């Protein structure tokens, strides 16, 4: 109740004036150059060390407070409660594939685990980083990337992210040496400068041990030309925010902050990166961080680059700053008022005990054209926008039953101890999957409007609670709402929605469809500022159930993870989408046929996630 009261007071204040946040001016230094080169695929099908000890911890979109792994445990929980929405799913399934130009399978768990000769950990969930332009499509996931032409031909990849960013392997399986731990990739093609930007969160180790050093940074790779298969310049931005390496001291418990969940946006003058700041070696959320970085200097590969950091956790910022997602531009459209402006959106339902809200927050950074000359002139403002009620979805949802050999091996007497080295455990058939919380997802600026989505609780036809997608089309100048509704099916869940929009204002929401009658599938729906969201179209139907290691004791524990975010990108009149789905199925017998656990190169021992890249013409 106290949190709701504070937010209500903040909303009243913002109705009459905007509040600027304190800022810190930093300098970004060039680290190295790199060229994406395909790494060999191979290695042992299963080892005694499959998960990175640094990453087996509490996750960002869970309300679960369990200790999910060996120290250090990064507790990235924040959701206070799950709501009981009464909003029914009303969307229909399209009978055809309107505007679907084609698609192809992107990166999968086999690519991820066996890239760089198998010197990788098993990682789940993959997450999605997608960008497109100049005849190329680039996809990055935890922890590999690939570059394609628009026909779906893979030009480069898989490239493990440790190699791409110039680090040693995530785990050297010959020597046992650890490299830096990399996570949460995102990418963006800037049509105005014809450059590609790729960002990850990198956590340093103590030497080559598994122990985290505490220092962590956003690694920003910038292509040197419009061709992403060529050379890139890499910059490193420290985000531990404890006073070291030029960072401000935010007093995070345990001495180091964590720049979790980085995402990318841009206006004409700056690249914007945002993080959720948690304590790395303790508990506590310290507010979202917003970084404005000189685009000109990045594109010119300058030795030093101006950065302005805004601390959303500062007490002078009364709005709750969590997952403040910066807008990406469609085709180089930018806001030129107020000396150049970047818009961002966030939500706040996770801060309420009820898990519900009817407010999202519109953030803006103004005077961005001063980033190179007078960075202190940049100012951060935030104001509330009243929208349709949305709610934190229920944690777990059902999927269609089917063959799941990892689950079946755990259930079959003697199978898991013999082949996996773990005790037998019997799970429901099928295992449930986790969905997103109600944090803001990808934000776009196009045709003078802001477009965004978030996952929300909905009521399914059978009376159970599931996940749908709340969408917003907002006038950022007046804070008026052009379109706002909930896209939901009565018999399936829609989750991890991501919206992209063409310059003319025609959009697409990409998502995963999963339910009692649906294997995890790649879906999409149209989005219009007047008509709202259209019918749900399945771009690629799932071939079988998700069968991954998270949620299993000894193999990740915690929730059965599925994702953290999807991705979509506008390229002219084409929208490219990347959604997680299941592209394969196999039996336990096939799973145990040599080479073990790979089912003909379609999966790995501990998971079977895949991604689908689709092109939608508008």
């Amino acid at each position: 109740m106290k949190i709701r009261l504070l937010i209500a007071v903040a909303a009243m204040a913002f109705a009459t004036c905007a509040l600027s946040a304190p800022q810190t001016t930093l300098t970004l230094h060039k680290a190295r150059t790199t060229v994406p080169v395909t790494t060999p695929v191979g290695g042992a099908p299963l080892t005694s060390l499959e998960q990175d000890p640094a990453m087996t911890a509490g996750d960002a979109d869970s309300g679960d407070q369990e200790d999910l792994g060996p120290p250090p445990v990064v507790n990235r929980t924040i959701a206070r409660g799950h709501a009981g929405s009464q909003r029914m799913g009303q969307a229909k399934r399209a009978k055809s594939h309107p505007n679907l130009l084609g698609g192809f399978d992107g990166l999968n768990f086999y690519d991820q685990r066996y890239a760089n000769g198998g010197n990788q950990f098993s990682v789940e969930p993959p997450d999605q980083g997608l960008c497109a332009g100049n005849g190329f499509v680039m996809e990055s996931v935890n922890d590999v990337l690939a570059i394609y032409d628009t026909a779906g031909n893979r030009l480069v990849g898989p490239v493990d992210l440790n190699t791409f960013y110039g680090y040693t392997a995530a785990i050297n399986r010959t020597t046992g040496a650890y490299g830096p731990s990399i996570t949460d990739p995102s990418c963006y093609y800037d049509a105005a400068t014809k450059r590609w930007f790729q960002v990850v969160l990198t956590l340093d180790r103590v030497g080559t041990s598994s122990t985290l050093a505490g220092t962590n940074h956003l690694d920003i790779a910038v292509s040197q030309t419009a061709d992403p298969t060529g050379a890139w310049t890499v910059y490193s931005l420290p985000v531990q925010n404890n006073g070291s390496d030029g960072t401000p001291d935010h007093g995070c418990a345990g001495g180091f902050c964590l720049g979790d969940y980085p995402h990318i946006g841009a206006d004409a003058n700056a690249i914007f990166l945002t993080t959720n700041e948690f304590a790395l070696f303790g508990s506590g959320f310290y507010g979202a961080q917003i970084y404005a970085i000189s685009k000109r200097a990045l594109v010119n590969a300058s030795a030093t680059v101006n950065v302005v950091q805004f601390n959303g956790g500062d007490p002078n910022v009364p709005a709750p700053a969590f997952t403040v997602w910066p807008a990406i531009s469609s085709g180089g459209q930018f806001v030129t008022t107020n000396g150049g402006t970047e818009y961002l959106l966030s939500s706040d339902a996770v801060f309420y005990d009820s898990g519900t809200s009817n407010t999202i927050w519109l953030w803006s950074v103004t005077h961005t054209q001063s980033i190179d000359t007078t960075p202190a002139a940049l100012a951060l403002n935030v104001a509330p926008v009243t929208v349709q009620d949305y709610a934190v979805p229920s944690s777990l949802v059902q999927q269609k039953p089917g063959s799941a050999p990892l689950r079946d091996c755990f259930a079959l007497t003697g199978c898991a101890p013999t082949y996996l080295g773990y005790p037998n455990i019997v799970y429901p058939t099928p295992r449930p999957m986790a969905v997103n919380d109600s944090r803001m997802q990808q934000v776009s600026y196009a045709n003078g409007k802001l477009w965004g989505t978030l996952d929300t609780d909905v009521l399914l036809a059978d009376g159970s609670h599931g996940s749908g997608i709340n969408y917003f089309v907002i006038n950022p100048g007046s804070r008026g709402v052009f379109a706002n509704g909930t896209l939901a099916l009565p018999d399936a869940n829609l989750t991890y929605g991501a919206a992209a929009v063409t310059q003319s204002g025609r959009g697409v929401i990409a998502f995963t469809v999963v339910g009692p009658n649906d294997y995890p599938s790649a879906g999409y729906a149209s989005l219009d500022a007047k008509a709202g969201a259209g019918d749900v179209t399945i771009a690629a139907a799932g071939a079988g159930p998700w069968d991954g290691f998270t949620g299993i004791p000894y193999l990740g524990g915690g929730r059965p993870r599925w994702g953290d975010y999807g991705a979509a990108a506008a390229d002219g009149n084409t929208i490219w989408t990347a959604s997680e789905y299941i592209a394969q199925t196999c039996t336990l017998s096939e799973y145990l046929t040599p080479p073990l656990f790979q089912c003909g190169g379609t999966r790995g021992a501990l998971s079977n996630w895949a991604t689908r890249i689709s092109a939608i013409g508008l």
Side-chain angles (χ1 to χ4, degrees), residues 105-330:
D105 283 346
L107 293 162
N108 60 30
F109 182 79
Y110 182 88
D111 294 326
Q112 185 276 313
R113 174 58 184 83
Y114 299 117
N116 196 16
N119 291 303
Q120 293 266 91
F121 292 108
S122 289
V123 178
E124 196 174 61
D127 300 335
Q128 289 287 343
L130 178 80
C131 41
N134 194 40
F136 298 95
V137 178
M138 180 170 166
E139 181 190 25
S140 53
V141 300
N142 286 327
D143 272 326
V144 288
L145 65 80
I147 301 170
Y148 307 86
D149 64 21
T150 54
N153 299 303
R154 188 179 288 188
L155 306 177
V156 181
V159 183
D160 66 289
L161 293 182
N162 279 62
T163 295
F164 175 73
Y165 280 97
Y167 296 117
T168 57
I171 176 68
N172 186 313
R173 297 198 175 278
T174 300
T175 67
Y178 287 75
S181 183
I182 293 178
T183 188
D184 288 349
S186 291
C187 74
Y188 166 66
Y189 175 72
D190 189 69
T193 60
K194 296 181 172 56
R195 292 294 186 270
W196 303 75
F197 298 84
Q198 164 83 18
V199 62
V200 295
L201 169 63
T202 301
L203 292 80
D204 296 324
R205 309 276 191 182
V206 176
T208 59
S209 73
S210 64
T211 304
L212 291 182
T215 52
N216 59 106
H217 38 96
L218 302 184
D219 282 336
I220 308 153
V222 185
S223 71
Q224 295 182 3
T225 69
D227 183 350
T229 67
W232 296 62
T233 305
V234 179
Y235 292 86
S236 186
L237 176 66
V239 291
Q240 63 265 17
N241 290 334
N242 65 349
S244 65
D245 295 332
T247 64
D249 190 351
H250 291 169
C252 289
F256 292 86
C257 301
L258 173 73
D260 189 46
Y261 207 66
H263 285 97
I264 190 168
D267 82 333
N269 309 297
I271 294 295
F272 286 82
L273 303 179
T274 61
T275 65
N276 285 332
E277 186 163 275
F278 292 87
L280 179 55
F281 296 126
S283 296
F285 174 63
Y286 292 80
Q289 303 299 304
I290 301 171
Y291 298 89
I293 307 171
S294 168
K295 186 194 291 187
R296 181 200 61 80
L298 290 175
V299 168
N300 291 338
S302 300
T304 58
V305 180
N306 284 350
V307 180
V308 176
Q309 176 182 356
F310 294 98
N311 177 15
D314 188 279
N316 291 317
V317 183
F322 175 65
T323 310
V324 181
W325 201 302
I328 57 175
S329 165
S330 174

Side-chain angles (χ1 to χ4, degrees), residues 467-547:
S467 177
I469 296 171
N470 206 311
Y471 57 85
F472 317 93
V473 185
I474 299 168
N475 181 332
S478 66
R479 306 205 309 269
V481 179
F482 290 102
N484 176 206
T486 298
L487 178 67
L489 290 172
D491 59 346
N493 301 278
L494 310 179
T495 191
Y496 299 104
V501 189
T502 67
Q503 292 187 56
S504 62
R506 303 185 67 189
V508 168
I509 308 173
F511 41 78
T512 295
V513 182
V514 59
N517 303 308
D518 293 271
Y519 297 128
S521 303
Y524 69 92
S526 63
L527 179 61
D528 183 85
K530 293 183 179 179
D535 293 343
V536 171
T537 299
I538 302 297
W546 165 76
D547 185 39

Side-chain angles (χ1 to χ4, degrees), residues 8 83 157 208 253 272 306 339 360 403 424 525 578 614:
T208 59
F272 286 82
N306 284 350
I360 62 173
S403 179
N424 286 112
S614 304

